[in-house]
Amino acid sequence: MTVRTSTLANGLTVATDAMPQVETAAIGVWVNAGTRNERPEINGIAHLLEHMAFKGTARRSAARIAEEIEAVGGHLNAYTSRESTAYYARVLKEDVPLAVDILADILQNSTFDEDELARERAVVLQEIGQAHDTPDDVIFDHFQATAFPEQPMGRPVLGTAEIVGAMPRTALVDYLGEHYRAPRMVLVAAGAVDHDAIVTLAEAAFATLGTEADDGREPARYAGGDYREHRDLEQVHLLFGFKGISYDDPDYYAVSVLSTLFGGGMSSRLFQEVREKRGLVYSIYSFASSYLDDGLFGVYAGTGTDQLGELVPVICNEFSALTGSVGDDELHRARTQLRAGLMMARESTGARCEQLAQQLQVYGRPVPTEEIVEKIDAVDAAAITGLAERLISGRMVVAAVGPTDGLESYDAIAHRLGH
């Protein structure tokens, strides 16, 4: 394995995945804090903070941050999820010290200038508005909120316009001080990197991080339920789902195989039955979202009002059929798809960097590729059917946006699944 890890005196984990054959490097900092670490009155702050990190530090203006990274042909970006926030860069190997310096600067020395904050709040409000106007995007927020009501896990990553529009500078400073602490952060680099050199850079660059950290994460409480929003659209955007699988569940790899087999590609059951044979949709797929202590499994479909009446029973029948039998060919295809995706990602510095960061945050250790492949290959037909029965026996969650009048009631859909 090419991975090496070290822990600095302040608790920051530093990990590298060397790829001697490449000339570039991906490097980033992953913070073990996201939307589920927010109180209701500051929902959206993790995402707003991610934006504000690029808007100026004590050493660099917002323009200077962009100019310095682009002057060396590099790329700097970030994203926020429900359980983490990531800041990362792609650079040539000789510019790794610059990338580390910029990342350390924006995460420790951001000034959160009031004028910049006002402008960036307006930008995020535009982002929230755009998401609201994109039904196949916002439907997932409603699905999440219905699955995990009245709790951080169910709130939108972007927050709401009302809360974000009034977010004060002091809230950003307090959130940063509470959550951006060394024991909750990992610095990961993949590609043309030297581990000892990265450790030396990190020791100097991240010296001011706090050394104590409390998890501060409210446990997820899955509930399920029904959400419908009538809109004058051409299609109904529909999500069916169930309580899923957490990262540490013994069925974690089985649910990936199941989702791939069920709705993960053009050869999957859903695509073949719903789109190819019946022409009921343009887009349909299944997904498995895992979290530290819970998960979701579901199916997205977009269909016209004339097709809705036929679509719902077909999806329910396909869900039920999962508990029956699984063919050797489809099981082989699903496992091979996952293995191939894993191996293809190994050729990308960015993918290897992100995968290693996630492994360290979730499992506290790098997970060898051979171990992952072994667990994928160990998933057999009995594991798939048993897991499918486990999933659909629980309380369902349904979310729909569009002309929903023709959608069966929640109880009628549940009845089709034997509830």
Side-chain angles (χ1 to χ4, degrees), residues 12 41 53 57 75 109 124 131 162 222 231 247 265 268 302 341 406 409:
L12 177 70
E41 65 272 17
T57 72
H75 172 73
N109 305 315
V124 174
E162 294 76 17
Y222 176 87
R231 288 199 198 180
Y247 284 118
S268 67
S409 70

Side-chain angles (χ1 to χ4, degrees), residues 181-205:
R181 293 177 167 266
R184 301 183 65 174
M185 300 166 72
V186 295
L187 172 67
V188 181
V193 295
D194 175 79
H195 182 77
D196 293 333
I198 296 292
V199 169
T200 299
L201 290 169
E203 286 175 333

Side-chain angles (χ1 to χ4, degrees), residues 89-282:
R90 287 284 308 277
V91 292
L92 298 175
K93 62 182 180 182
E94 60 265 26
D95 299 312
V96 166
L98 174 65
V100 173
D101 184 63
I102 291 177
L103 289 169
D105 193 22
I106 67 175
L107 294 176
Q108 296 173 108
N109 305 315
S110 286
T111 57
F112 304 127
D113 177 79
E114 290 282 8
D115 290 338
E116 290 283 1
L117 177 57
R119 282 190 290 269
E120 208 56 30
R121 278 196 300 250
V123 170
V124 174
L125 291 179
Q126 292 291 332
E127 188 177 357
I128 292 171
Q130 180 174 307
H132 180 75
D133 288 344
T134 310
D136 56 345
D137 186 357
V138 74
I139 185 67
F140 282 88
D141 280 345
H142 296 313
F143 181 77
Q144 191 83 18
T146 306
F148 299 105
E150 304 300 322
Q151 56 188 293
M153 183 61 85
R155 297 185 191 119
V157 171
L158 299 182
T160 66
E162 294 76 17
I163 294 174
V164 173
M167 194 79 72
R169 179 183 182 277
T170 53
L172 292 169
V173 174
D174 292 344
Y175 184 89
L176 180 77
E178 180 180 359
H179 296 291
Y180 281 51
R181 293 177 167 266
R184 301 183 65 174
M185 300 166 72
V186 295
L187 172 67
V188 181
V193 295
D194 175 79
H195 182 77
D196 293 333
I198 296 292
V199 169
T200 299
L201 290 169
E203 286 175 333
F206 290 91
T208 65
L209 287 177
T211 58
E212 296 180 2
D214 178 28
D215 181 47
R217 176 180 287 116
E218 182 179 323
R221 304 180 308 278
Y222 176 87
D226 190 40
Y227 175 89
R228 300 174 189 220
E229 178 182 327
H230 184 85
R231 288 199 198 180
D232 187 15
L233 302 172
E234 291 295 321
Q235 282 198 315
V236 180
H237 298 268
L238 183 65
L239 278 171
F240 287 87
F242 304 92
K243 179 180 174 66
I245 302 300
S246 67
Y247 284 118
D248 63 355
D249 192 289
D251 282 326
Y252 173 69
Y253 290 96
V255 80
S256 296
V257 177
L258 184 152
S259 183
T260 302
L261 178 154
F262 190 50
M266 294 174 63
S267 65
S268 67
R269 290 188 179 190
L270 285 175
F271 193 92
Q272 284 296 311
E273 183 65 30
V274 178
R275 173 170 162 160
E276 296 297 279
K277 292 183 181 179
R278 298 174 183 265
L280 297 176
V281 300
Y282 171 72

Side-chain angles (χ1 to χ4, degrees), residues 304-325:
T305 54
D306 292 341
Q307 290 77 34
L308 183 60
E310 184 180 354
L311 174 65
V312 172
V314 172
I315 292 178
C316 290
N317 288 340
E318 291 300 317
F319 265 127
S320 298
L322 274 176
T323 65
S325 62

